Amino acid sequence: MLAGKRILLIVAGGIAAYKTPDLVRHLRERGAVVRCVLTDGGAQFVTPLTLGAVSEDKVYDSLFSLTDEHEMGHINLSRQADALLVAPATANMLAKIAQGLADDLATTLLLATDKPVLVAPAMNVRMWGHPATQANIDTLAGRGVTVIGPNEGDMACGEYGMGRMSEPLEIAAAIENFFAANGRLTGSRALVTSGPTYEPIDPVRYIANRSSGKQGHAIAEALMRLGTKTTLVTGPTQQPDPPGVQVVHVESARQMLVACEAALPAEIAVCAAAVADWRVDTQTDQKLKKNTGAPPPPLMMTENPDILQTLSNAKNTRPGLVVGFAAETENVIANAQAKLARKGCDWIVANDVSPNTETFAGDANTVHLVTADSVEDWPRLSKAEVGERLADRIADALEAGHG
Ligand code: C5P
């Protein structure tokens, strides 16, 4: 399955381009998010309207559209993808990529990207067999580009031989194999907590922490993209369930702990939830009535389980790498270091949530990654980028033998 994988599909100018709407459908049926880039040649064979309709997204077709550059720069287009797929990859397109030419949006993206590139060649049998094309294919393969096909068969030009683009279903399967084999964290399991918890006072009232769930959800999604089998245990939020992630919805801290323990074993745990420290001990089954003139009911509180601390100290099921969050309004680093020691986790992601930072509910976050012996200050990033960067650092740590 390709759940949540973002594929930037570059359609070049070959007759096989007429199959790309079908390819988009097959990729999306497998859960992928597909965004299309059309070269001028590609636009001779398939329209932006068709690709836009099947991808349910804008189709990008000109490097020089200033509004596109303003809304979505060409670097961002590849940054927001997990892989670039060129289908059909014409002989001309392969030559340009091999040479590093960048004279339109598609080739500029391909030169500017650091994401994996896959190509599905499609051309006449003699163009495919030409030493120039074969040398270009060798060059690209040597640089780590994945070549899908081509197939042997009848050609649009009336000839027979190698050069037919692989069928859309074959390309979709090749992409699936690619992701299955290439996720840095393939084979590991991750548990992520997100959102607030609701602690009931009576059947209609509750106390809660402020939390949009944006950061926790972004971390779960980023870990999933690196290949982890990810469980996201979340309190009530407005965030949609990330595709490809197993989501468990809970309300209270105690429910969250039960759901987290049920999600073990896992190699990675990231506790980003804003768990209420206390719950109401005097919780009633009936709604508390307001009696005019009577004093307000006192609320007795009792301490909630600390999920991060419980996971960090679990005897047999402790995840190899446990990451906590620290939302602080002052002495951010010192408080995070103290929290790391107190909770027994491996890392703390510390963020300043004082009122002027607009971190709550906002899309950006400024964080520090605090470990037992280091502090990394990260620049202000979107919450999605913080998620990706944290997932990358987790993959680095696991590859280095942590956990
Ligand atoms: O102690 P404090 O709430 O500041 O610690 C924050 C970190 O601890 C976060 O990672 C949060 O998810 C986690 N936490 C928890 N269970 C609690 C309280 C906090 O997992 N009851």
Side-chain angles (χ1 to χ4, degrees):
M1 292 300 280
L2 293 171
K5 296 284 189 274
R6 299 163 305 177
I7 296 166
L8 191 64
L9 172 63
I10 295 173
V11 179
I15 178 63
Y18 85 88
K19 296 182 180 176
T20 51
D22 236 9
L23 172 59
V24 173
R25 278 190 39 238
H26 291 312
L27 293 171
R28 293 193 66 207
E29 274 163 18
R30 286 160 178 71
V33 177
V34 184
R35 176 170 275 168
C36 299
V37 173
L38 200 49
T39 66
D40 287 347
Q44 303 293 318
F45 294 93
V46 61
T47 69
L49 190 61
T50 312
L51 288 174
V54 289
S55 66
E56 290 185 77
D57 199 354
K58 185 175 162 62
V59 174
Y60 292 81
D61 56 5
S62 170
L63 178 56
F64 302 107
S65 160
L66 287 177
T67 47
D68 287 358
E69 279 292 310
H70 175 66
E71 285 168 24
M72 161 74 68
H74 60 276
I75 303 293
N76 262 346
L77 269 175
S78 86
R79 208 177 266 156
Q80 294 181 2
D82 297 306
L84 276 61
L85 166 64
V86 189
T90 59
N92 183 51
M93 175 58 94
L94 292 172
K96 282 186 176 180
I97 313 174
Q99 288 301 312
L101 295 182
D103 61 357
D104 62 3
L105 175 60
T107 48
T108 306
L109 279 170
L110 286 158
L111 193 60
T113 190
D114 58 356
K115 298 295 169 66
V117 175
L118 300 96
V119 295
M123 67 200 73
N124 163 276
V125 54
R126 271 174 307 198
M127 290 168 85
W128 173 251
H130 196 287
T133 303
Q134 288 304 309
N136 290 333
I137 286 286
D138 287 348
T139 302
L140 294 177
R143 280 186 210 144
V145 171
T146 302
V147 182
I148 304 168
N151 287 347
E152 187 174 343
D154 289 326
M155 314 218 123
C157 55
E159 297 189 48
Y160 180 93
M162 284 293 282
R164 276 172 63 98
M165 186 173 83
S166 297
E167 293 303 322
L169 275 173
E170 292 173 302
I171 298 176
I175 304 267
E176 279 186 319
N177 289 341
F178 172 82
F179 278 114
N182 284 275
R184 291 183 71 193
L185 287 171
T186 298
S188 13
R189 291 154 298 185
L191 161 65
V192 179
T193 70
S194 185
T197 62
Y198 283 5
E199 308 297 334
I201 297 170
D202 66 18
V204 298
R205 303 182 180 92
Y206 60 84
I207 53 173
N209 278 346
R210 254 186 225 284
S211 171
S212 66
K214 283 183 181 170
Q215 188 59 80
H217 280 56
I219 293 165
E221 203 167 333
L223 285 167
M224 175 277 295
R225 286 218 184 86
L226 292 190
T228 58
K229 193 168 172 296
T230 305
T231 304
L232 172 65
V233 180
T234 179
T237 76
Q238 301 292 320
Q239 302 302 309
D241 289 355
V245 171
Q246 189 184 351
V247 184
V248 184
H249 294 272
V250 297
E251 291 214 332
S252 69
R254 285 188 295 177
Q255 290 169 351
M256 188 173 271
L257 178 60
V258 170
C260 286
E261 287 179 330
L264 297 176
E267 287 73 28
I268 303 154
V270 181
C271 294
V275 183
D277 288 320
W278 307 283
R279 66 176 177 277
V280 179
D281 203 19
T282 45
Q283 183 191 338
T284 56
D285 293 338
Q286 301 298 328
K287 184 182 172 188
L288 295 173
K289 302 305 281 181
K290 186 170 81 172
N291 294 322
T292 318
L299 293 184
M300 292 302 294
M301 311 277 255
T302 189
E303 203 167 319
N304 262 333
D306 190 310
I307 298 164
L308 175 62
Q309 198 162 29
T310 308
L311 294 176
S312 299
N313 293 293
K315 274 211 175 60
N316 300 319
T317 51
R318 186 193 194 280
L321 186 66
V322 183
V323 184
F325 268 69
E328 304 287 351
T329 53
E330 56 183 355
N331 300 329
V332 175
I333 304 294
N335 282 331
Q337 283 164 332
K339 194 163 289 178
L340 184 86
R342 193 169 65 246
K343 304 249 187 178
C345 59
D346 300 294
W347 299 350
I348 288 274
V349 180
N351 54 353
D352 187 344
V353 292
S354 27
N356 58 350
T357 60
E358 292 173 12
T359 299
F360 281 132
D363 286 322
N365 210 348
T366 309
V367 305
H368 314 269
L369 182 63
V370 178
T371 73
D373 48 22
S374 69
V375 178
E376 268 177 38
D377 301 322
W378 291 4
R380 190 158 181 79
L381 298 167
S382 70
K383 288 181 178 173
E385 286 168 330
V386 169
E388 281 167 21
R389 199 153 164 165
L390 184 63
D392 277 337
R393 294 287 284 103
I394 289 171
D396 292 345
L398 263 64
E399 281 165 10
H402 195 138

